[in-house]
Amino acid sequence: MHAIVINRYGSPEVLKYTTLDMPKPKKGEVLVKVKASSINPIDFKVRQGALKLVMRKKFPITLGHDIAGEIQEVGIDSNKFKVGDKVYGMNPFPGMGAYAEYVAVSGKYLALAPSSIDENKAAAVPLAAITALQSLRDKGGLKKGQKVLINGASGGVGTFAVQIAKAMGATVYGVCSTSNVETVRELGADQVIDYKQQNFEKLLEQFDIVFDAVGKSSFLKCRSILTSKGVYVSTAPRPDNFLWSGLSVFMPRKVKL
């Protein structure tokens, strides 16, 4: 089968179009013929070598997490799907392999694809949407009636976060650039802040959750806009965030990564 791999870390030039052996689904896995995938920040971070200390993969590495395609083969003890089912989902980190014609993935990370969207759109959903859901619901403990600020509200994760927070009954403030203000408002944000015109870290209002979906801020900068028991959630594994995440165990305000 054809695939796009890297044989070393580096710039986009290290991506190579090549031929690999067809994967064989293991116990609990299915073989998916990939019709579409997507590019997420984690993909280029892996390509650059930024995550090599937490990865145990040997070259060549086939990148890609998001998958939309069709079941071609079902492994042992994988009775959730049948051959021919159209599915979408992801191969979670450190699993990858979506930048190929076929990928073997655990059935628990897949779902039947909705008929309301095409394969290209379906492939853009899993990683970004799951990140937004886990950040707000699992890390932030979002509850109906709470007030949430989302930094990066027009990005891949942010656009899902705005819609999820609204669906869960929150009052949502979205932070984005001037060109995306109307888009974020259309997604359902109650208030939209143009970061080119206003520094959201200096707002006089306070929030139950500040979700930094682009990792451009920090807990210290956002501490004043958090309620006394507010939660700061970030997608960026920066050293200062790790430090405050540990220290926040002893504080009323929490930091979640």
Side-chain angles (χ1 to χ4, degrees), residues 128-150:
I130 290 172
T131 300
L133 178 63
Q134 291 178 334
S135 296
L136 293 171
R137 183 193 64 189
D138 303 340
K139 301 291 186 178
L142 179 60
K143 297 178 179 62
K144 183 178 181 179
Q146 288 189 320
K147 197 171 176 182
V148 179
L149 182 140
I150 300 167

Side-chain angles (χ1 to χ4, degrees), residues 23-213:
K24 185 72 176 175
K26 300 176 183 177
K27 184 177 180 180
E29 292 185 336
V30 295
L31 181 68
V32 180
K33 183 175 183 179
V34 180
K35 299 295 185 66
S37 187
S38 64
I39 300 174
N40 293 285
I42 192 172
D43 297 313
F44 68 74
K45 289 178 181 178
V46 170
R47 188 205 74 223
Q48 292 171 336
L51 301 176
K52 60 185 177 182
L53 293 179
V54 295
M55 289 183 62
R56 294 183 178 181
K57 284 189 172 292
K58 297 180 179 179
F59 295 115
I61 297 173
T62 307
L63 303 178
H65 293 274
D66 286 333
I67 302 159
E70 184 176 309
I71 302 291
Q72 298 293 296
E73 185 180 343
V74 177
I76 300 172
D77 291 341
S78 182
N79 52 16
K80 183 179 178 181
F81 302 104
K82 64 181 184 299
V83 173
D85 281 345
K86 294 183 178 180
V87 296
Y88 76 136
M90 60 178 286
N91 209 1
F93 186 84
M96 292 179 285
Y99 296 171
E101 289 185 285
Y102 297 88
V103 61
V105 59
S106 171
K108 67 181 180 181
Y109 298 121
L110 299 173
L112 292 173
S115 59
S116 56
I117 57 176
D118 63 27
E119 292 156 342
N120 291 330
K121 292 178 181 177
V125 172
L127 194 150
I130 290 172
T131 300
L133 178 63
Q134 291 178 334
S135 296
L136 293 171
R137 183 193 64 189
D138 303 340
K139 301 291 186 178
L142 179 60
K143 297 178 179 62
K144 183 178 181 179
Q146 288 189 320
K147 197 171 176 182
V148 179
L149 182 140
I150 300 167
N151 183 33
S154 61
V157 173
T159 53
F160 285 108
V162 170
Q163 297 173 83
I164 289 170
K166 284 300 295 181
M168 293 181 69
T171 298
V172 180
Y173 282 55
V175 180
C176 62
S177 64
T178 308
S179 61
N180 292 311
V181 166
E182 288 306 315
T183 297
V184 174
R185 187 173 286 119
E186 290 173 0
L187 289 172
D190 298 282
Q191 298 286 336
V192 183
I193 299 167
D194 178 356
Y195 67 76
K196 293 185 177 180
Q197 304 295 327
Q198 185 178 14
N199 184 353
F200 73 90
E201 299 163 348
K202 304 298 183 182
L203 290 173
L204 298 178
E205 300 183 59
Q206 290 188 315
F207 302 87
D208 298 291
I209 300 173
V210 172
F211 177 30
D212 187 6

